[in-house]
Amino acid sequence: MNGLAEAAEAAEEHDWRRLDRRSLLVTVQMTGGVVTAVGLPVTLSFQGWVAMGPVIAWAVGLSLLLIASGVGIEALRLRHSRYRIGPERAELRSGILFAKHRTLSRERIRSVDLVAHPLLRVLGLVEVRIGTGEQSAGQEATLELRAVRRAEGERLRRELLRRAAPGAASDAEGTIAALDLRWIRYAPLSFVTSALAAAAGGAIMQVSEWFGVQEEVIERVGDAFRGMSVAGMVLALIAGALAAGAVGALGLWVEMWWGYRLEREPGGTLRVRRGLFTTRSVSLEEARLRGVDVVEPLGLRLSGAARVDAVATGLSRRDEEDQAGPSTLLPAAPRALAREVAARALREPVTPTSARLTAHPRAARARRIRWALSAALAPALVLVLLGALLGVPVLTYLGAGTAALLAPVAVALAYDAYRSLGHALHGDYLVVRSGTLRRSTVALRRGGVIGWTVKQSVLQRRAGLVTLSATTAAGAQAYAAYDVSEAEGLAFAEQAVPGLLAPFLERVEQPR
């Protein structure tokens, strides 16, 4: 009996697999890069204060110690990490000081994503993230294998996602969308350009401060614009920063979307592959798909482009706010293609997001005009008050100019925000749209709605408006129809999901 028990234990232990030990090389390179990036400016800061020989010797010795410590910790992690994929569950053993044994039921696994940054790609390795599709559980709902061979990662992805998808037509499998390099023209039109422009200016000032040449940089900028008015200098600096931001946005787009391909695989799985240096493969079960979100930031909308995001359960929120989050099915592309991709992802002949929407009451327009004017005139009012209190006429004139400049823009944006409002029912979907700087048109399956939230402020009550939000377990978890008339909004909710809201409504009998 002891021999049989030992044989069974040995067979069970044989099923456990180790992570690839070549990740030690990745740790050496990454730790060395971080130590160099931090240690070099610190070491140079001692120049001119003390003899550099001992400083360099201490810096090199400390760097080697930190690299050796990082490699040692990584070696211990690899030594104590095992994974096993059985017929019923996926398991991971890990932990150096405290042993952890985590398991996921095979039936609950909904995503297997592969990620490989440049160092992993050179070694032919990938990180495998196995998820259950539960947002509330956080990291406990994900097993991360760092790292395995790429062939092993692909094998795990195919094995764990292999399941029958009832009703999935085999003739619908294949490529839905692939990279078109002409889409790169939309990259500078995103808000990333302005963010990168600000970051570039901040980086120049910070680096110049590290090396003690910040004053010299400022003097050279002043010399370059000598003879130019203050307004002209400010405009020139903004234009230069935006040009640098545009170049950065182009580079970021290439890194994120190079090799992009959206495919439907056997068994009803949508797979997005993309990335130049860091490659990503994100798999999404169609059973988790509750709808789509066609996103049109102002710059893209003016150029006739849009992005398509999936409204699905269990997607990681880690990268959700950037322009290449795990929910993105299609990057910024021509609007007609975005509608086609949305329809094919939902297996619909026509995308529900193109449905004719019901306009909202004019009271909603008045609310947006008031909001916009309040935001635009507030800084102008502050300048005028300061000018009056301090006796500085320039501030008063500046405030008046600010009001004259911002008020028309604010009103135009308010009218656009009102025109963007709308809601409709289209087959099995409810559709809501809102936003001006970032217009979003969401088509949500009625079966995915688990509740309604009705909000009404004091001002909304006076105008007879409500904000009606459809609650779901997918995506942002709530999608709202803003400032819809009270009677029409409640009727819309009842028609979309009959019986869900009715028990909470008070019925008023009409007098005979």
Side-chain angles (χ1 to χ4, degrees), residues 314 350 412 450:
V350 178
I450 60 177

Side-chain angles (χ1 to χ4, degrees), residues 1 26 35 43 76 143 146 204 322 390 395 424 427 490 504:
M1 295 296 291
V26 178
V35 168
T43 302
L76 288 174
L143 296 183
R146 308 193 313 267
I204 291 174
D322 68 14
L390 300 177
L395 292 178
L490 298 179
F504 305 96

Side-chain angles (χ1 to χ4, degrees), residues 110-443:
R110 295 293 180 267
S111 65
V112 182
D113 301 333
L114 310 181
V115 180
H117 54 72
L119 298 180
L120 289 176
R121 292 181 63 188
V122 169
L123 298 172
L125 305 176
V126 294
E127 295 181 2
V128 182
R129 298 170 183 170
I130 305 171
T132 62
E134 297 179 6
Q135 294 179 342
S136 59
Q139 293 184 350
E140 294 302 317
T142 303
L143 296 183
E144 294 192 2
L145 309 182
R146 308 193 313 267
V148 299
R149 292 178 181 270
R150 174 170 291 277
E152 173 69 2
E154 291 288 348
R155 184 191 70 82
L156 292 173
R157 193 189 69 84
R158 289 192 300 268
E159 180 180 348
L160 292 173
L161 294 180
R162 187 188 303 124
R163 51 170 62 90
S170 59
D171 58 354
E173 296 168 3
T175 301
I176 296 177
L179 177 68
D180 186 338
L181 289 179
R182 290 175 295 181
W183 300 347
I184 196 174
R185 67 183 184 271
Y186 301 121
L189 301 179
S190 68
F191 295 112
V192 173
T193 299
S194 56
L196 290 178
I204 291 174
M205 299 305 294
Q206 183 63 59
V207 172
S208 63
E209 183 181 2
W210 283 347
F211 290 93
V213 295
Q214 189 177 80
E215 294 183 359
E216 182 179 350
V217 170
I218 295 175
E219 290 178 359
R220 290 192 176 184
V221 171
D223 293 339
F225 294 99
R226 191 176 302 278
M228 185 180 294
S229 65
V230 175
M233 182 179 68
V234 170
L235 291 177
L237 289 175
I238 292 176
L242 289 177
V247 173
L250 292 173
L252 185 61
W253 187 94
V254 171
E255 151 59 16
M256 290 190 301
W257 294 110
W258 189 262
Y260 160 81
R261 184 174 296 272
L262 171 63
E263 300 170 309
R264 174 174 280 115
E265 297 185 327
T269 299
L270 296 174
R271 184 185 188 187
V272 178
R273 289 186 286 183
R274 59 182 177 83
L276 177 61
F277 298 112
T278 299
T279 59
R280 297 173 177 86
S281 171
V282 179
S283 300
L284 171 64
E285 267 193 329
E286 291 185 74
R288 297 163 47 205
L289 191 62
R290 299 292 181 267
V292 295
D293 184 4
V294 177
V295 182
E296 302 170 273
L298 184 59
L300 295 183
R301 181 150 52 98
L302 294 176
S303 61
R307 188 182 84 224
V308 179
D309 291 351
V311 178
T313 60
L315 288 176
S316 168
R317 308 296 293 178
R318 184 181 305 170
D319 305 315
E320 198 68 22
E321 296 303 322
D322 68 14
Q323 59 175 332
S327 63
T328 303
L329 298 179
L330 179 74
R335 189 179 291 116
L337 177 61
R339 291 174 176 171
E340 178 184 349
V341 169
R344 294 187 64 184
L346 296 174
R347 296 183 184 268
E348 296 288 341
V350 178
T351 175
T353 57
S354 62
R356 184 179 181 86
L357 302 181
T358 300
H360 289 196
R362 292 186 177 181
R365 181 180 63 188
R367 282 170 57 82
R368 275 146 187 80
I369 292 175
R370 287 195 297 268
W371 292 341
L373 287 177
S374 299
L377 297 180
L381 181 60
V382 171
L383 290 174
V384 171
L385 290 176
L386 287 176
L389 293 175
L390 300 177
V392 182
V394 175
L395 292 178
T396 303
Y397 299 146
L398 184 60
T402 301
L405 179 65
L406 294 183
V409 176
V411 172
L413 290 176
Y415 271 88
D416 182 69
Y418 170 71
R419 286 193 298 268
S420 296
L421 291 177
H423 64 277
L425 295 178
H426 185 278
D428 294 332
Y429 297 85
L430 63 89
V431 184
V432 293
R433 189 178 69 189
S434 63
T436 179
L437 297 180
R438 181 188 182 276
R439 189 166 76 178
S440 170
T441 308
V442 178

Side-chain angles (χ1 to χ4, degrees), residues 449-452 493-494 497-504:
V449 178
I450 60 177
W452 291 98
E494 177 63 19
V497 188
L500 187 59
L501 190 62
F504 305 96

Side-chain angles (χ1 to χ4, degrees), residues 48-62:
W49 294 85
V50 295
M52 291 302 294
V55 173
I56 293 175
W58 273 100
V60 171
L62 184 58

